[in-house]
């Protein structure tokens, strides 16, 4: 670590400088002449680098599966899932958590996202926020409880804000996961599950909004979608817990009923209306042939699991 000098309110101040040795900071030999290439060649180099990401994610599916099982157990027991991240990693966590409620009608408290620097950091870089290890620890201490699952998001695997949050979460009895693009991260041994996606050096050296960010987006989508599937918020491959907040989504509800039941569109419209707009209730009623009150009661008895409700009605 070395020090850098910066001017603050007319007074010179010393700030720490860290040289990170993670793979994400190394130079990519395929893009040495990037600034001399044609536009088409620049795009080709980026695209060829991006092709590495899905394979890198495939290599850590076992670790993602372990994280899914931890999350499902936590949520079923009334606990929560937390994302802690900074910069691009943190913003991707915010995005993933924000999309779960409208897509799966999940309770908003299930997934909690924490971004170094607070809400303003979604739109602009907040100086030194990611270096605030104590800030990450304090934030975790305020909101993480025993039995929760805490997922740390850090491209390099060393972000102090994230590591501080993970350490404090462990002390509070939460399960911890570190998702990064550095398989060599020293913090791997201090979490319950380590997901080190080997995306290699970026096309633009150190720009982890590229492959590392893409990998984190894929992992988070895979993780949270699988959690919702395991919790019964998908029937077959259909979104059955979605919130119809606009005309397109109301139309999608009808399409889902048609696909799931094989019934005519008008029959599905009537069933949805009789179920007061509740897609699950309409679906169970149409598939089982039961009346809406019976379908609603079966869902209540099966923790709102469609297949469980259908099994109850069949018996």
């Amino acid at each position: 670590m070395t020090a850098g000098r910066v001017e603050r309110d007319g007074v010179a101040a010393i700030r720490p400088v860290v040289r990170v040795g993670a793979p994400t900071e190394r130079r990519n030999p395929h893009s040495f002449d990037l600034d001399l290439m044609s536009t088409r060649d620049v795009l080709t180099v980026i695209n060829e680098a991006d092709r590495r990401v899905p394979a890198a994610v495939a290599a850590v599916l076992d670790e993602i599966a372990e994280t899914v099982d931890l999350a499902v157990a936590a949520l079923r027991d009334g606990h929560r899932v937390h994302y802690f991240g900074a910069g691009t990693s943190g913003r991707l966590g915010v995005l993933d958590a924000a999309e779960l409620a409208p897509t799966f009608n999940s309770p908003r408290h299930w997934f909690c996202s924490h971004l170094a620097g607070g809400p303003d950091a979604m739109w602009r870089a907040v100086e030194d926020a990611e270096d605030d290890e104590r800030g990450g620890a304090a934030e975790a201490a305020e909101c993480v409880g025993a039995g929760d699952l805490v997922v740390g998001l850090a491209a390099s695997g060393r972000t102090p804000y994230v590591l501080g949050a993970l350490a404090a979460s462990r002390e509070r009895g939460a399960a911890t996961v570190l998702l990064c693009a550095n398989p060599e991260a020293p913090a791997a041994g201090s979490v319950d599950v380590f997901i080190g996606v080997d995306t290699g050096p970026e096309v633009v050296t150190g720009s982890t909004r590229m492959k590392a960010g893409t990998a984190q987006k894929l992992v988070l989508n895979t993780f949270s979608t699988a959690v919702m599937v395991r919790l019964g918020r998908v029937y077959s491959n259909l979104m059955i817990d979605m919130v119809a907040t606009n005309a397109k989504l109301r139309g999608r509800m009808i399409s889902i009923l048609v696909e799931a039941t094989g019934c005519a569109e008008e029959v599905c419209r009537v069933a949805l209306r009789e179920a007061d707009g509740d897609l699950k209730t309409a679906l169970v009623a149409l598939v089982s042939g039961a009346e809406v009150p019976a379908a609603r009661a079966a869902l209540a008895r099966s923790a709102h699991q469609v297949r469980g409700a259908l099994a109850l009605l069949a018996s």
Side-chain angles (χ1 to χ4, degrees):
M1 178 179 291
T2 57
R5 187 174 296 272
V6 66
E7 196 78 16
R8 283 182 177 166
D9 299 325
V11 179
I14 301 297
R15 293 192 308 192
V17 176
V18 176
R19 297 187 65 190
V20 179
T24 54
E25 300 297 318
R26 297 171 190 162
R27 293 187 71 189
N28 188 325
H30 301 293
S31 59
F32 278 169
D33 295 326
L34 193 67
D35 62 331
L36 300 177
M37 295 179 186
S38 69
T39 299
R40 187 64 169 75
D41 285 345
V42 169
L43 298 178
T44 298
V45 169
I46 294 172
N47 181 252
E48 289 177 349
D50 286 344
R51 292 179 189 179
R52 176 174 177 168
V53 177
V57 172
V60 295
L61 289 182
D62 288 343
E63 290 81 2
I64 298 172
E66 190 175 352
T67 305
V68 169
D69 291 342
L70 286 172
V72 170
L75 294 172
R76 281 180 173 162
D77 286 343
H79 303 296
R80 299 186 293 175
V81 175
H82 300 263
Y83 293 149
F84 280 88
T88 297
S89 301
R91 294 182 190 103
L92 289 171
V94 173
L95 177 63
D96 192 70
E99 291 179 341
L100 296 178
T103 305
F104 300 104
N105 197 22
S106 63
R108 293 192 177 275
H109 68 272
W110 272 12
F111 280 72
C112 308
S113 54
H114 309 272
L115 178 60
D120 286 349
M122 275 297 292
W123 317 111
R124 61 181 181 83
V126 177
E127 189 176 276
D128 290 342
E130 72 172 56
D131 294 329
D132 189 0
E133 184 173 357
R134 290 183 179 178
E139 192 165 347
E142 287 180 2
C143 61
V144 174
D148 287 354
L149 173 66
V150 176
V151 181
L153 309 171
S156 66
R158 57 148 307 274
T159 306
Y161 169 86
V162 173
L163 297 186
L166 288 171
S169 298
R170 285 194 303 276
E171 291 175 0
R172 296 182 64 79
T176 55
V177 177
L178 175 59
L179 167 59
C180 69
N182 179 10
E184 307 162 6
S190 61
V191 291
D192 295 295
V193 182
F194 174 66
I195 306 175
V197 190
D198 188 9
T199 56
E202 299 287 2
V203 169
V204 175
T205 306
S207 181
T208 52
R209 59 182 286 273
M210 301 183 77
K211 285 191 298 179
T214 300
Q216 289 190 325
K217 180 71 162 66
L218 288 178
V219 172
L220 288 172
N221 277 173
T222 302
F223 161 69
S224 58
T225 299
V227 170
M228 293 298 128
V229 171
R230 302 309 304 161
L231 289 173
R233 291 180 178 263
V234 173
Y235 175 74
S236 180
N237 62 350
L238 301 170
M239 292 186 292
I240 53 168
D241 253 313
M242 57 176 286
V243 180
T245 55
N246 56 45
K248 180 190 75 174
L249 295 180
R250 286 188 287 273
R252 184 179 292 169
M253 291 180 78
I254 300 299
S255 298
I256 288 172
L257 279 177
V258 171
E259 289 285 343
T261 66
C263 295
E265 181 176 326
E266 186 54 37
V267 172
C268 292
R269 287 182 182 274
V270 171
L272 191 60
R273 185 164 58 247
E274 291 179 348
D276 298 323
D278 188 296
L279 178 57
K280 273 187 174 179
T281 300
L283 173 59
V284 170
L286 287 173
V287 172
S288 68
E291 297 295 326
V292 165
R296 188 175 285 120
L299 280 166
R301 289 171 57 200
S302 63
H304 296 279
Q305 306 285 304
V306 167
R307 293 196 186 273
L310 291 174
L312 285 174
L313 291 169
S315 64

